Every structure is written in structure tokens, then in C-alpha cells.
Amino acid sequence: MINKVVSGAEEAIRDISDGATIMLGGFGLCGIPENCINALVKKQVKQLTCISNNAGVDDFGIGLMLKQRQVKKMISSYVGENAEFERQLLSGELEVDLIPQGTLATRCLAAGYGMPAIFTPAGVGTEVAEGKEIRNFNGKDYLMEYAFDADFAIVKAWKGDTAGNLIFRSTSRNFNPVMAMAGKITIAEVEELVEAGELDPDYIHTPGIYVHRIFQGKDYEKRIEQRTVRKSEV
Amino acid sequence: MFSKEEIAQRIAKEIKDGYYVNLGIGIPTLVANYIPKGINVVLQSENGLLGMGPFPFEGEEDADLINAGKQTITTLPGSSIFDSAMSFGMIRAQKVDLTILGAMEVSENGDIANWKIPGKMVKGMGGAMDLVASAKNIIVAMQHINKAGESKLLPKCTLPLTGVKCIKKIVTELAVLDVLPEGGFKLLERAPGVSIEFIQQSTAGRLVVEGEIPEMRLD
């Protein structure tokens, strides 16, 4: 067994330096690697290219990095919840590549599966298709989209073991497993870190071969963006 | 004229037993409240859930369990969870029977624009481009006219497109319309009290009116 355990977020991100390309798991604020984001904010690393479905909110998640102007370029599908992001985008301070959500996920998948490119119909005939190769299969047009090439992938899992195996919980799974497969170096922060052997191999979502560093995170805030409830039945 | 709830209620009548359905944000989300009794449908949320249940009871919210609109939700017996790549895999492979989404503009040849207003609003397309490019059956829930009284059913979209030639049915506060394969909005039903003349005035694209146009029924 290869031990992947590091002491915490600071050690896990120790070699992320200015200009790096990093993937960050999560959908909205659900399943984001809170500990590593906070460590990146503290480290003040700059000129980052961030690949993440969303850009956090103004005062949480990737929004904290945007506020400090640490991000040079965002590659995302939806950024609606972040006023500072929209300001930087419209003023031209931030470079942004908006791409369809399925394309984003599948470009991660391709990287983790060792495939250089994918073909998807998403974006055909729109500005997303500009400058891209189009191929026709069985009468339908598809865009060629390349696999991502990221220096680091940072993901959040529910449970993990010292061998780097990961299990995700509920819809906080989202982009985390596909990004975990896609990084040259993958960092996983988990709510509960256990010894190898304690997780049932049949229930592993991400095999440890994809994970290079793992640690048990702390003080998870797990902020809820839209708290929607119904009244209890009496 | 129909309210947003009534648009949702009318669209719900299009849902058939055994359908897997993806509901977009806004009016489409409301459709879940009107699915006819005795019809079994499974709602897909593209962040990675099949079998979306109602909102949780107060105090039972789970930060790890949200829908694509980032709202706290619940699962149901038979629900399943998966990652984002598989979620769009099942959409691309047309396993999802029906997609219902909102639009800023639809053109008479079935193009849709709903993700960007250049220089003003840039929120992103989220999963909309994937959905419209792959779904075999798409219904658009939208307002027929904007706040300034201008038509959103156009000869050609003015905003950046989300997808081309993909919309087949539209339900608005005024009418139910099909997009014809050869182009044009075919009027199928009108909202109670709304005249064909008013729908004609409110539709900038080519409107096709043939025979009697019944009023929309919600029951």
C-alpha cells in the first residue's frame, strides 16, 4: 500500500505556484474543497487558471480567490451567483471561458480516461463552436473538444482511506470524481480519513491510483446557497 | 392570460407515464408541482440525481443534497446519485425523455437563446446547451412578450444562441405553439380570454393559424 496522507491543506497545496492550472470540484457550494481553497487564499498564489463548474459566491468558495485577484482565467459553465465575478468579467479584468456543463465534465472524464478529445453536439451553431473542428457522424454535427490538461485537481470527498480511495456523499459527488481522475497531481480533502482496509472495495467511487495526496479536512462550513423547505406535517 | 403557475400546469399535461424528465430553473421547476396523479415520472437533476423529491422539512436540509438550481431537496425511494459526466452522458444518449426549460428568445426555426445578454448579463449556459443539443423532446416555458411589450418569439434570435433548430413546443402566458419543421409558430391553443389577434400582434415571427384554436385547458 502506498501511503498518500499529508498533514493538511497547507502541505497538500505546497507546490501550487503562480500561473498553475487547477481544477476544483463542486457544484455551486456543494462539495467544494473548502480547506484547500482557504489555504490557496492564505498562500496568495496568483495568476491561476481555475477549472470549476461555478465560481463560488462573493464571500465563499472560489469567490474568496477572485476577491484577492488570484485568478487570471476561469473555465466554468455557470457563474450567476457571483457579483464580483460578473464585474471582473464585464470590465475585462478576468479572462473567462464559459463552456457547456456536459462538455466541462466530459473533458475531465477524457483526461482521466486517457483520451485526447471528445465529440459533443453541445454548442454546435453557437459562439461556443467558433474556431473548433466540426465532424458529422450519422447526419449530426459534433464539436471536437479537447481533454483538459490541469496541473492539479482538488476535490472534496466524504470518506477516504490512507491509500487514496474515495467515497462521495449524495449530490456533493458532482464534478469531484471526474476531476479527481483528471489532475496531473490530485489532492483530496475528506471529512473522514480512515485506515486502508476500512472501506469496502465494492463501494469505492474513485480508486486511489488517481489520488496523490489526501488529508482529513476540518471546520467544514458546508454553506447552503438556496435553503428551500416545506412546512412540517402536523 | 396565464400566470407562471398556470404555464407550468399546462406543461405538466405533456408529461407521460414512465418519463424521465429534466426541469430547468424558473417556471420549469414549478412543473413538478402539477404532475398528474397516477403518472409516474422520474425527475433528473443534472448535478447528478435521478428521482428528485420535494423540498425537505424544516430542519432536515442537507447541504450535500441539492438540485441544479442549488435548492435543498430530498431523494425518493428508487433515487440514484452519479457524477456530472454520467449525468450528461445520459442526457447526450437521449435516455432522458423530456426536457423543459426557459428561454429569453425562440426563433421560428426553433433556435433558442437563454444564456447571455452581451455587455449586460453573463451567467453562463450551465447545462442548457447540452440539453438542447441532445434532447429528443424539448418544451420551452417562457413569456411571450417582455416587460416592454416586445415579442420574444422572433423570425431570428437577436441574442447569442444556446442551440439551433431544437425547439418543438412552446408554452407561454398567451398560447401553446408548435415550431413547424419548415419554420413558423403554429398556434395550437390560446390562454382563456386571449384573442388570436392579440397573439398575432405579440408574435414577431411567422404565426400559422389554421382552423379553430381552442382555449387551453388545465384539467
Side-chain angles (χ1 to χ4, degrees), chain A residues 79 127 169 227-228 230, chain B residues 55 61-62 72 116 123:
Chain A
V79 293
E127 63 183 49
R169 179 175 176 277
R227 187 179 300 274
T228 45
R230 60 189 151 139
Chain B
F55 295 150
E61 312 92 275
D62 180 349
T72 47
K116 183 180 183 182
K123 293 190 186 300

Side-chain angles (χ1 to χ4, degrees), chain A residues 35-101:
Chain A
N35 281 237
C36 284
I37 290 172
N38 290 338
L40 287 165
V41 169
K42 202 169 145 203
K43 197 181 178 197
Q44 304 260 344
V45 51
K46 290 201 164 53
Q47 293 289 104
L48 297 172
T49 295
C50 293
I51 302 167
S52 182
N53 189 55
N54 312 87
V57 293
D58 283 325
D59 61 345
F60 196 57
I62 296 175
L64 298 170
M65 291 160 67
L66 287 164
K67 203 187 277 179
Q68 292 204 84
R69 314 291 297 276
Q70 293 176 269
V71 183
K72 180 185 71 172
K73 181 177 181 179
M74 275 301 311
I75 301 173
S76 303
S77 87
Y78 189 81
V79 293
E81 277 34 270
N82 190 317
E84 174 62 14
F85 180 100
E86 206 163 343
R87 191 196 64 73
Q88 288 186 24
L89 169 59
L90 291 171
S91 69
E93 296 162 60
L94 179 69
E95 217 182 307
V96 177
D97 200 359
L98 286 170
I99 61 175
Q101 197 175 138

Side-chain angles (χ1 to χ4, degrees), chain A residues 150-169:
Chain A
D151 302 314
F152 296 89
I154 306 176
V155 302
K156 149 87 196 329
W158 178 41
K159 288 184 179 179
D161 68 18
T162 52
N165 296 305
L166 304 177
I167 296 175
F168 302 90
R169 179 175 176 277

Side-chain angles (χ1 to χ4, degrees), chain B residues 22-63:
Chain B
N22 180 288
L23 301 177
I25 296 164
I27 300 173
T29 306
L30 301 172
V31 174
N33 301 332
Y34 301 105
I35 293 166
K37 289 230 159 25
I39 286 195
N40 292 303
V41 298
V42 177
L43 299 179
Q44 198 240 21
S45 194
E46 66 266 24
N47 56 318
L49 169 66
L50 273 169
M52 179 168 61
F55 295 150
F57 289 120
E58 269 177 338
E60 293 178 7
E61 312 92 275
D62 180 349

Side-chain angles (χ1 to χ4, degrees), chain B residues 8-127:
Chain B
Q9 210 175 337
R10 174 60 190 81
I11 290 175
K13 288 173 68 180
E14 301 288 323
I15 296 176
K16 301 202 168 52
D17 193 38
Y19 266 15
Y20 289 93
V21 181
N22 180 288
L23 301 177
I25 296 164
I27 300 173
T29 306
L30 301 172
V31 174
N33 301 332
Y34 301 105
I35 293 166
K37 289 230 159 25
I39 286 195
N40 292 303
V41 298
V42 177
L43 299 179
Q44 198 240 21
S45 194
E46 66 266 24
N47 56 318
L49 169 66
L50 273 169
M52 179 168 61
F55 295 150
F57 289 120
E58 269 177 338
E60 293 178 7
E61 312 92 275
D62 180 349
D64 287 339
L65 182 51
I66 62 169
N67 64 16
K70 284 112 184 176
Q71 297 172 312
T72 47
I73 45 153
T74 55
T75 55
L76 295 169
S79 287
S80 56
I81 304 273
F82 36 86
D83 66 58
S84 300
M86 184 178 283
S87 182
F88 285 93
M90 64 185 70
I91 288 166
R92 219 178 284 119
Q94 299 193 328
K95 304 296 180 188
V96 177
D97 299 289
L98 175 63
T99 289
I100 301 167
L101 79 174
M104 297 173 185
E105 296 176 345
V106 174
S107 76
E108 63 187 36
N109 70 342
D111 295 353
I112 176 172
N114 72 353
W115 73 283
K116 183 180 183 182
I117 303 172
K120 275 191 195 158
M121 188 283 289
V122 188
K123 293 190 186 300
M125 66 290 281

Side-chain angles (χ1 to χ4, degrees), chain A residues 134-145:
Chain A
I134 291 177
R135 287 274 292 274
N136 188 287
F137 297 95
N138 302 317
K140 185 168 174 166
D141 284 341
Y142 293 80
L143 294 184
M144 187 166 80
E145 298 273 9

